[in-house]
């Protein structure tokens, strides 16, 4: 391996093989990947969950994570939110010529760690290299396959009276990345980047029977406010939030003040929003709080028919505010 | 939709939804995609084939195809080469701010056409936008899931005496793209970009019983010479080629002379190399020749033990030449 990645490493020839055999295979070793075929042949299941995401976060390394951990957790979480147990990941790198091999190695190690602790295998991949100035260090696509364990989750299940739960503090990832990007590193503020597949399975398995959990989603780009809007747009339903009940870290609150951001529109990478029937709400929060990822879980609102199609928040000051979908590019390249 | 794609379209908010709802969904409409969940829930199978590729081809549009068609066919072909029948694709865009909406629309239409004629659905996706100068128009990742129909294909099956077959002329894609990139458009020379999944299934179903076809692979980056080396490296086997039998279009030959390239190292995007037992070789070529994609199929060599680990070619001039794996970046961003 050279010290920097050159265009040669994307040629499909010797250098590409070298990169795969010397850096990737030793880290991610598993039988499917080691075949180095055009794809991987895998044990399947009657129903599968399939998801994809490309990660372009800037900077590549930030407090609480890096693009590799994010690329693994982000896709695992999407599979988990659909009721799947994640099993396999693909990984495709688009590297900008000039990336230091050492950085790539750190990213690969971070992906290994994240995938390993989630019990998933990275089974197939691809590496492209683009010229200097045609990328930004590295972009990573992961696609994930899971086996469906909890069928039927959908915003279409949401009913008036349902509870709105968030699994923890909002806005951690977005503010941590924005601070890191601006060189304002603050040791207390970390991305929440985490694998939620265990938590999602636990909630879906234990929260009081099939159908009680209506839908799960991880509020990444656009933040919690955008996800809640996605749930009820084009329906006759309303989500009423109580600002006092929404968990926000004081550091996040302070950083948002400085950056002119709203935690409800900041990306999260280790939180989920759960809509469930009212009678399952306390139990669900209790289950979440028993885990590391869900220790700050809270009921933050209810579903009603008061303002059809709107997310409305009772503010801490006692007023009320309509939360629409994120408009514009508040936080580009956050994930 | 605005006329150009701005960073707003990658925010995960209103503009992102607008792009998906106005441009992508109408083109690719299917039940799984229309759910717009974090992933797609799909009918599975006992054994699945999974593949991924990111496409960074430059230019985006070239004679015989574009990045969209390439992104669909490339991944379908990888699934097919593993013995799978492709069923589902994911699609993830990394768009450089400033891409014209009209170009994106053409690419989306091209993907729809390619996926439609192959009978696969694009079921889940992602859109990111990066700043001007951090990408190059658009990069596309597709990942593909297929159901395994023809198990057991592997270079490990190759035996001395086997035949080496190529499904048609070599070097078409690489030379077409290089000419287009250099502004030397030549109407006769087109990329061979094509879906090979039908051809692969036909060959595997008809070529004389299980096990006769040892391995299939589509020789993309690195070309036919690199693929053949991959098959036999670290084995005691040798591949002996006969240059006179390798089909090369005269336009490709001429273009390679001008560009200083070798057709055997130029990427193909609609060809496959098949190693099969000698007694199945004529039948396999006949089957290929009965199809549009395989009309120029030919037996180009045999497997022996003469020079272990080497691909050796008897040249047209009567000499012999060792073909190693591609070294360096002969053709960056060819796919």
């Amino acid at each position: 391996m050279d010290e920097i990645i050159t265009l040669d490493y994307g040629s499909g020839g010797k250098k590409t093989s070298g990169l795969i055999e010397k850096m990737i295979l030793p880290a991610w070793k598993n039988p499917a990947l080691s075949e180095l075929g055009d794809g991987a042949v895998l044990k399947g299941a009657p129903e599968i969950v399939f998801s994809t995401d490309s990660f372009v976060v800037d900077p590549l390394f930030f407090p609480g994570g890096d693009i590799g951990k994010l690329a693994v957790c982000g896709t695992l979480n999407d599979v988990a939110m659909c009721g799947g147990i994640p099993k396999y990941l693909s990984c495709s790198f688009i590297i900008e010529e000039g990336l230091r091999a050492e950085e790539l190695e750190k990213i690969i190690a971070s992906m290994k760690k994240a995938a390993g602790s989630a019990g998933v295998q990275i089974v197939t991949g691809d590496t492209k290299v683009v010229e200097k100035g045609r990328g930004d260090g590295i972009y990573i696509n992961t696609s994930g396959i899971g086996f469906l364990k909890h069928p039927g989750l959908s915003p279409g299940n949401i009913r008036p009276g349902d509870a709105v739960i968030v699994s923890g503090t909002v806005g951690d990832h977005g503010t941590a990345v924005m601070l890191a990007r601006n060189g304002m590193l603050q040791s207390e503020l970390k991305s929440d980047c985490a694998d939620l597949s265990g938590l999602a399975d636990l909630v879906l398995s234990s929260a009081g029977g099939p159908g009680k959990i209506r839908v799960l989603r991880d509020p990444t780009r656009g933040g919690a406010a955008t996800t809640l809007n996605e749930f009820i747009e084009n329906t006759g339903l309303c989500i009423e939030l109580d600002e006092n009940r929404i968990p926000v870290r004081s550091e996040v609150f302070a950083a948002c003040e400085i950056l002119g951001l709203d935690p409800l529109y900041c990306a999260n990478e280790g939180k989920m929003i759960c809509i469930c029937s009212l009678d399952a709400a306390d139990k669900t929060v209790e289950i979440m709080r028993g885990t590391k990822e869900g220790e700050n879980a809270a009921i933050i609102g209810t579903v009603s028919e008061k303002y059809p199609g709107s997310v409305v928040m009772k503010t801490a000051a006692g007023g009320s505010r309509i939360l629409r979908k994120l408009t514009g590019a508040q936080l580009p390249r956050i994930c």
Side-chain angles (χ1 to χ4, degrees), chain A:
Chain A
M1 286 291 305
D2 304 307
E3 269 181 44
I4 65 159
I5 306 298
T6 58
L7 282 175
D8 295 0
Y9 285 91
S11 67
K14 259 194 186 152
K15 291 268 188 181
T16 313
S17 313
L19 173 64
I20 294 168
E21 282 156 25
K22 283 174 204 147
M23 205 189 271
I24 298 180
L25 275 189
W28 298 349
K29 208 166 180 68
N30 62 65
L33 186 65
S34 303
E35 272 283 313
L36 292 182
D38 283 327
V41 176
L42 305 165
K43 185 177 160 289
E47 280 170 305
I48 58 183
V49 179
F50 187 27
S51 187
T52 192
D53 253 325
S54 286
F55 296 84
V56 299
V57 67
D58 166 35
L60 300 178
F61 299 88
F62 48 82
D66 59 70
I67 191 171
K69 181 181 179 188
L70 189 62
V72 169
C73 294
T75 292
L76 294 185
N77 290 350
D78 283 345
V79 169
M81 295 306 116
C82 297
I85 306 296
K87 293 287 177 187
Y88 311 115
L89 284 175
S90 66
C91 171
S92 178
F93 294 128
I94 299 178
I95 299 172
E96 183 194 20
E97 178 188 24
L99 180 73
R100 285 186 299 128
E102 188 196 337
E103 287 184 286
L104 180 58
E105 198 152 22
K106 269 166 82 174
I107 291 164
I108 289 170
S110 174
M111 295 183 75
K112 171 201 165 97
K113 194 177 161 198
S117 47
V120 304
Q121 292 181 337
I122 305 172
V123 293
T124 190
D126 179 46
T127 303
K128 295 291 193 303
V129 183
V130 296
E131 306 91 330
K132 189 103 194 149
R134 302 293 183 181
D136 195 8
I138 188 168
Y139 298 146
I140 304 180
N141 176 280
T142 52
S143 298
I145 292 179
F147 297 166
L148 186 67
K149 180 174 172 188
H150 308 284
L153 297 168
S154 163
N157 302 331
I158 301 175
R159 296 287 170 267
D162 284 353
V164 180
I165 295 170
V166 66
S167 65
T169 54
V170 300
D172 300 24
H173 177 75
T175 45
V177 170
M178 288 307 280
L179 286 180
R181 192 183 301 169
N182 293 301
M184 297 153 71
L185 292 174
Q186 222 199 323
S187 63
E188 312 85 56
L189 212 167
K190 283 196 177 130
S191 164
D192 55 347
C193 181
D195 161 31
L196 295 174
S197 60
L199 179 61
D201 182 32
L202 186 67
V203 164
L204 291 163
S205 302
S206 328
K212 299 262 182 189
I213 305 291
R214 318 298 199 192
V215 66
L216 299 179
R217 196 165 290 178
D218 57 335
T220 57
R221 276 184 298 175
T226 300
T227 296
L228 291 170
N229 271 284
E230 286 169 3
F231 283 162
I232 55 150
E233 64 186 353
N234 310 320
T235 71
L237 299 173
C238 167
I239 286 179
E240 299 185 60
L241 299 179
D242 181 347
E243 188 170 20
N244 284 320
R245 303 177 76 171
I246 301 172
V248 182
R249 284 187 204 285
S250 57
E251 311 90 89
V252 169
F253 196 83
C256 280
E257 290 274 298
I258 295 166
L259 296 166
L261 301 174
D262 181 337
L264 285 167
Y265 288 94
C266 284
N268 309 277
E269 290 291 346
K271 299 293 152 48
M272 64 186 192
I273 290 180
C274 166
I275 311 274
C276 69
S277 64
L278 188 59
D279 63 338
D282 287 335
K283 177 92 184 284
T284 301
V285 169
E286 191 193 313
I287 292 166
M288 287 181 176
R289 286 197 179 157
T291 68
K292 185 167 167 273
E293 294 79 20
E295 59 183 3
N296 297 306
I299 300 173
I300 60 170
T302 53
V303 178
S304 74
E305 293 172 300
K306 205 162 170 185
Y307 308 101
S310 292
V311 177
V312 184
M313 182 168 74
K314 195 170 83 189
T315 65
S320 78
R321 184 182 149 204
I322 293 183
L323 299 176
R324 304 196 189 283
K325 265 191 181 178
L326 178 64
T327 321
Q330 193 190 24
L331 299 165
R333 304 207 26 215
I334 210 70
C335 61

